[in-house]
């Protein structure tokens, strides 16, 4: 028996040995409440002190206490969720650098826009259509991932979606998917997306966009990595664009304990399409809108505006520096050649006029010019 068959056999055996109760425990629903006891949000998974949450109306919360027995977390509201401009600039600077590297290595006609995707929780499924919330074969999450792939490709974006399995659905799943994420990053993608679904009541995700009943999408950021600020800025930019173009599409942003392989890349993000209780077609319906938002953020008007701002600011400073040095040099030269401040001022105005085409000082052919 070869190694591959041994691995398949081992996975099959582990499927029998791991009780379904253990998987259900891994997706246990936690409730976040505010200081007054009002429900803020739910999450299919554990909450920890220090976790942050950006609500649909862009209010920032931070978890201050957790009761694991009751599966509740208390969070304080910190007010409006400000966008970290420095982290966002870093994100778009990386985009600009990637474009420059791509152009340097390839002809313009061969340059590609690329997004890579995978699904760490390879069993996640949708009960109304798949019959169960966890399937070891033909899991519903791959239908959603492939739908997103199709929608992105319609927009002219190349997509690599790995359908490699990382079962079982346990605490080590992200360690197993890490090698796949690393291999995908070798392709030089503009974004690395991990496609999931949540495990809370369906009504928490149900929405309507452009008259179509679809699922909301939650953006998930791991806060325990060096790229967390850039990952969060990426998520906030996606939400900002989506809120303008398709209000209600992005449910919220959860910034939770762990790294979720996002420490590998600043432009990495976890997307949760609906929940195990929602119809899979609604999750698939959301992919069209998310694809358009990603296209805008990574390649469209939003990305260009931010990238141009990043490029323009240093350029403007450089121009002012050059002008300042030129003026200083002109002053020194004018005084040295005349020996008198009055004559040097006249000479300086004439020189400035010549350099700037008459924008500064009197034009050279002006009869009043002395």
């Amino acid at each position: 028996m070869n190694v591959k068959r041994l691995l398949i056999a081992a996975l099959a055996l582990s499927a029998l040995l791991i009780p379904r109760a253990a998987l259900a425990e891994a997706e246990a629903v936690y409730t976040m409440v505010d200081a007054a006891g009002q429900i803020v949000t739910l999450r299919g998974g554990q909450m920890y002190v220090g976790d942050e949450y950006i609500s649909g109306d862009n209010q920032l919360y931070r978890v201050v206490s957790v009761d694991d027995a009751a599966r509740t977390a208390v969070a304080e509201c910190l007010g409006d969720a400000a966008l970290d401009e420095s982290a966002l600039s870093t994100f778009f600077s990386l985009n600009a650098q990637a474009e420059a590297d791509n152009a340097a290595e390839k002809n313009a006609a061969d340059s590609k826009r690329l997004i890579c995707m995978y699904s760490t929780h390879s069993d996640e499924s949708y009960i109304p259509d798949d019959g169960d919330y966890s399937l070891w074969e033909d899991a519903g999450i791959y239908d959603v991932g492939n739908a997103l792939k199709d929608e992105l490709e319609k927009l002219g974006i190349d997509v690599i979606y790995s359908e490699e399995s990382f079962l079982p659905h346990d605490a080590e799943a992200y360690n197993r998917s890490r090698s796949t994420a690393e291999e995908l990053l070798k392709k030089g993608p503009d974004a690395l997306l991990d496609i999931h679904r949540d495990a809370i009541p369906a009504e928490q995700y149900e929405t309507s966009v452009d008259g179509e009943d679809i699922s909301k999408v939650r953006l998930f950021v791991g806060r325990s990595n060096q790229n967390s600020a850039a990952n969060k800025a990426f998520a906030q930019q996606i939400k900002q664009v989506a809120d303008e173009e398709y209000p209600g599409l992005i449910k919220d942003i959860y910034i939770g304990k762990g790294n979720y392989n996002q420490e590998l890349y600043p432009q990495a993000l976890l997307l949760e399409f609906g929940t195990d209780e929602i119809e899979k077609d609604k999750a698939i319906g959301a992919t069209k809108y998310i694809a358009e938002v990603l296209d805008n953020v990574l390649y469209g008007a939003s990305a260009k505006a931010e990238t141009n701002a990043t490029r323009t600011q240093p350029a403007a400073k450089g121009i002012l520096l050059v002008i300042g040095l030129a003026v200083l040099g002109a002053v020194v030269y004018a005084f040295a050649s005349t020996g008198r401040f009055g004559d040097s001022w006249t000479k300086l105005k004439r020189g400035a006029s010549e350099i700037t085409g008459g924008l500064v000082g009197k034009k050279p052919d002006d009869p009043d010019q002395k």
Side-chain angles (χ1 to χ4, degrees):
M1 182 178 290
N2 61 29
V3 175
K4 185 175 181 180
R5 288 180 179 175
L6 280 171
L7 180 60
I8 293 173
L11 287 173
L13 179 60
S14 65
L16 296 175
L17 294 176
I18 297 175
R20 291 181 65 81
L23 177 57
E25 182 67 23
E27 294 192 320
V29 176
Y30 272 63
T31 301
M32 181 187 295
V33 299
D34 61 18
Q38 298 298 310
I39 293 177
V40 176
T41 192
L42 307 178
R43 183 198 169 199
Q46 193 167 357
M47 292 180 178
Y48 298 89
V49 171
D51 284 1
E52 293 184 344
Y53 173 74
I54 299 176
S55 61
D57 59 354
N58 290 307
Q59 293 297 296
L60 175 63
Y61 294 83
R62 182 176 294 132
V63 174
V64 294
S65 66
V66 176
D67 183 342
D68 288 319
R71 293 174 181 168
T72 59
V74 177
E76 60 177 343
C77 182
L78 304 178
D80 293 336
L83 188 61
D84 187 336
E85 296 294 345
S86 62
L88 189 61
S89 295
T90 299
F91 164 71
F92 282 110
S93 294
L94 290 169
N95 264 9
Q97 184 60 50
E99 289 177 9
D101 293 343
N102 193 37
E105 295 175 4
K106 303 176 183 179
N107 295 327
D110 296 330
S111 63
K112 294 182 178 180
R113 306 187 301 172
L114 176 65
I115 292 176
C116 288
M117 310 190 309
Y118 63 109
S119 293
T120 293
H121 290 157
S122 311
D123 64 312
E124 290 183 332
S125 299
Y126 298 84
I127 296 171
D129 299 277
D130 298 321
D132 205 341
Y133 69 97
S134 173
L135 296 175
W136 279 55
E137 291 184 358
D138 302 321
I141 196 63
Y142 290 116
D143 295 327
V144 176
N146 278 305
L148 178 57
K149 178 177 184 289
D150 291 343
E151 294 296 340
L152 288 167
E153 288 176 340
K154 289 177 185 177
L155 299 172
I157 302 169
D158 288 334
V159 181
I160 298 174
Y161 180 37
S162 172
E163 294 189 46
E164 187 174 348
S165 174
F166 309 108
L167 294 168
H169 186 147
D170 61 11
E172 294 300 313
Y174 286 96
N175 289 335
R176 288 190 292 273
S177 69
R178 184 184 181 86
S179 60
T180 293
E182 291 173 334
E183 285 300 313
L184 290 172
L185 285 175
K186 291 178 182 179
K187 307 293 184 182
D190 301 303
L192 180 66
L193 308 178
D194 193 357
I195 309 303
H196 290 249
R197 58 113 179 103
D198 203 347
I200 62 178
E203 59 266 21
Q204 293 286 319
Y205 273 87
E206 291 173 339
T207 190
S208 178
V209 172
D210 284 353
E212 181 181 2
D213 291 334
I214 64 168
S215 165
K216 295 179 182 178
V217 178
R218 168 173 279 175
L219 307 178
F220 198 100
V221 175
R223 61 180 171 89
S224 307
N225 75 84
Q226 69 272 22
N227 290 322
S228 181
N231 299 144
K232 180 181 174 182
F234 184 24
Q236 286 184 271
Q237 183 69 7
I238 289 174
K239 186 176 186 302
Q240 183 179 78
V241 172
D243 287 350
E244 293 172 358
E245 296 185 353
Y246 304 113
L249 173 63
I250 299 300
K251 182 181 187 301
D252 46 30
I253 304 172
Y254 196 97
I255 304 102
K257 181 181 178 181
N259 56 51
Y260 302 92
N261 294 328
Q262 292 173 8
E263 80 281 9
L264 297 174
Y265 203 47
Q267 289 142 252
L269 201 59
L270 189 157
L271 280 68
E272 292 188 314
F273 285 83
T275 174
D276 57 342
E277 295 184 1
I278 207 169
E279 293 89 344
K280 184 166 59 180
D281 284 347
K282 290 184 177 179
I284 289 174
T287 62
K288 173 177 64 176
Y289 303 103
I290 281 291
E292 292 178 3
V293 170
L294 288 169
D295 182 39
N296 187 329
V297 170
L298 292 169
Y299 314 110
S302 175
K304 286 178 177 145
E306 293 290 344
T307 301
N308 288 338
T310 301
R311 292 174 176 168
T312 300
Q313 289 173 7
K317 291 178 182 177
I319 291 169
L320 290 174
L321 177 61
V322 170
I323 291 173
L325 290 174
V327 170
L328 178 61
V331 170
V332 173
Y333 171 74
F335 180 76
S337 62
T338 63
R340 293 185 300 176
F341 283 107
D343 290 343
S344 64
W345 175 245
T346 300
K347 191 163 189 173
L348 178 59
K349 288 193 291 182
R350 183 180 297 111
S353 178
E354 291 172 352
I355 292 171
T356 63
L359 292 176
V360 177
K362 294 183 179 181
K363 295 181 181 179
D365 58 352
D366 189 327
D368 293 331
Q369 179 71 45
K370 300 296 184 183

